[in-house]
Every structure is written in structure tokens, then in C-alpha cells.
Amino acid sequence: MGDPRRLKKKYKKPSHPFQKQRIEEELRYLGEYGLRNKREFWKHRTQLGNYRRTARKIRTLPPERQKKELRVLMDKLIRLGIIEKNAEFEDLLLMTVEDILNRRLQTLVFKKGLANSIYQARQFITHRHIEVNGKRIDSPSYILKKDEEDTLKFVSSSSFYGREEQPVSEQ
């Protein structure tokens, strides 16, 4: 039956371990989004693959069921902020791993201006200085929902509480 404490992996490793182009791409994402290791990147890449696989399976369903299932998937992705409200089916297949990485708590703390760098944003989160909807979140990989974005702030007991928000300009 298996040990209930041993959960299955949430990521899939690359099939070929040494491909220079893939390794350089992974390292670029690690630096740009402040990921701790490649496993975090693989986790989000697998998550993207699961969404895209679900979308392709929906395409094979009968028309009435297809509309219902597609609406459920699109509502979920819209709620997460990964796709826009007026997105179509093709937009589901054109999603990239950047769309998911941009919704991580760590990235949004940095972009909102609560931290000076992406690494400082990770530190603030793991040291429990950040709250969302009045709840402390200590996981930098937490995917922030679109409606939770406005409630992102420092915890009132934090020494950084009341710090001025300075949005970071896109480079």
C-alpha cells in the first residue's frame, strides 16, 4: 500500500541529464526568479505540462462535455492569474513556464517592491515577514491567486511593517 508519509514526486526530471542548451535555460530561470534549485523549476515545468495535457485531453471529448471541462480549467487558470479572462483554447497550449513563475509569491513580493532583490523576497517569506489575506505564508513557491494579490503585505509584527512599497520597473 505504501507509506502515507511518502508522497509521490511533484516533478519529472529531464530525460537526458546533460544537454547544454537545457541546462543554460534552467540556470537562467534559477537566477531570474531566485529559485533554490532545479527541482523547483522542474516542479513548475511539470505543473505547466499537466495543465497543457489536460487541455489536450479536453479537446478529444464530446462537444457538450468539452465546453464544461474547458470552462472549469480556464476558470481555474484565470483565478490563478496564469491566463487572461478573454483567453481562448490556443492560449492554454501557448502557456509557458514563465507564466507560472510570475505568479509565485517570491516573484510578486519582489515586483510589488516589498524587497530589494528576488533573493531578499525569498528571505522575507521564509522568515515569516509576509502575509496574504491575513495569513502568514512561509513558502516562496506559493502560487498567488489574482484576488489575493491586493492583500499581499508585511505582517504587523514584522520589523518591516509599514515599509513603503516601491514597484520595480521592468527591465
Side-chain angles (χ1 to χ4, degrees), residues 18-56:
F18 304 109
Q19 292 172 330
K20 185 176 181 180
Q21 183 180 5
R22 181 190 48 79
I23 291 172
E24 288 172 351
E25 178 190 10
E26 288 173 348
L27 289 175
R28 183 177 62 82
Y29 282 120
L30 262 61
E32 185 178 340
Y33 291 97
L35 304 176
R36 191 180 88 210
N37 52 32
K38 289 184 182 179
R39 199 176 317 131
E40 281 191 349
F41 176 73
W42 295 339
K43 177 184 161 192
H44 294 299
R45 191 188 59 201
T46 303
Q47 191 177 22
L48 171 69
N50 291 340
Y51 289 142
R52 294 178 73 201
R53 185 180 326 109
T54 303
R56 286 193 306 271

Side-chain angles (χ1 to χ4, degrees), residues 144-158:
L144 207 63
K145 295 174 187 67
K146 197 71 170 166
D147 60 337
E148 291 178 335
E149 209 169 324
D150 298 332
T151 63
L152 174 64
K153 61 182 180 180
F154 283 110
V155 177
S156 59
S157 62
S158 169

Side-chain angles (χ1 to χ4, degrees), residues 9-15 42-43 45-46 53:
K9 290 193 300 187
K10 296 180 192 248
Y11 64 92
K12 193 176 126 192
K13 288 182 178 179
S15 57
W42 295 339
K43 177 184 161 192
R45 191 188 59 201
T46 303
R53 185 180 326 109

Side-chain angles (χ1 to χ4, degrees), residues 11-165:
Y11 64 92
K12 193 176 126 192
K13 288 182 178 179
S15 57
H16 194 281
F18 304 109
Q19 292 172 330
K20 185 176 181 180
Q21 183 180 5
R22 181 190 48 79
I23 291 172
E24 288 172 351
E25 178 190 10
E26 288 173 348
L27 289 175
R28 183 177 62 82
Y29 282 120
L30 262 61
E32 185 178 340
Y33 291 97
L35 304 176
R36 191 180 88 210
N37 52 32
K38 289 184 182 179
R39 199 176 317 131
E40 281 191 349
F41 176 73
W42 295 339
K43 177 184 161 192
H44 294 299
R45 191 188 59 201
T46 303
Q47 191 177 22
L48 171 69
N50 291 340
Y51 289 142
R52 294 178 73 201
R53 185 180 326 109
T54 303
R56 286 193 306 271
K57 281 184 181 177
I58 289 172
R59 185 48 79 88
T60 64
L61 297 174
E64 27 330 304
R65 191 160 166 224
Q66 181 179 7
K67 287 180 184 175
K68 181 182 171 193
E69 300 270 337
L70 184 61
R71 190 75 255 152
V72 169
L73 178 63
M74 289 186 76
D75 286 345
K76 178 179 181 176
L77 294 174
I78 290 169
R79 197 171 47 252
L80 290 174
I82 295 174
I83 60 173
E84 300 296 322
K85 271 194 184 283
N86 56 359
E88 296 179 9
F89 180 79
E90 286 72 30
D91 296 329
L92 294 178
L93 298 177
L94 294 174
M95 289 187 304
T96 62
V97 73
E98 288 180 358
D99 297 331
I100 294 178
L101 292 174
N102 283 327
R103 297 304 307 163
R104 295 177 82 236
L105 180 60
Q106 178 180 358
T107 306
L108 291 171
V109 166
F110 173 61
K111 286 190 176 178
K112 194 169 180 183
L114 297 176
N116 297 329
S117 72
I118 196 81
Y119 303 104
Q120 187 181 39
R122 184 178 192 91
Q123 184 181 26
F124 284 163
I125 295 166
T126 57
H127 290 193
R128 302 178 53 103
H129 288 286
I130 302 293
E131 72 179 8
V132 177
N133 275 344
K135 295 179 184 175
R136 287 185 184 187
I137 307 283
D138 61 357
S139 174
S141 64
Y142 176 77
I143 303 294
L144 207 63
K145 295 174 187 67
K146 197 71 170 166
D147 60 337
E148 291 178 335
E149 209 169 324
D150 298 332
T151 63
L152 174 64
K153 61 182 180 180
F154 283 110
V155 177
S156 59
S157 62
S158 169
S159 57
F160 301 103
Y161 183 72
R163 184 175 173 179
E164 190 68 31
E165 294 178 13

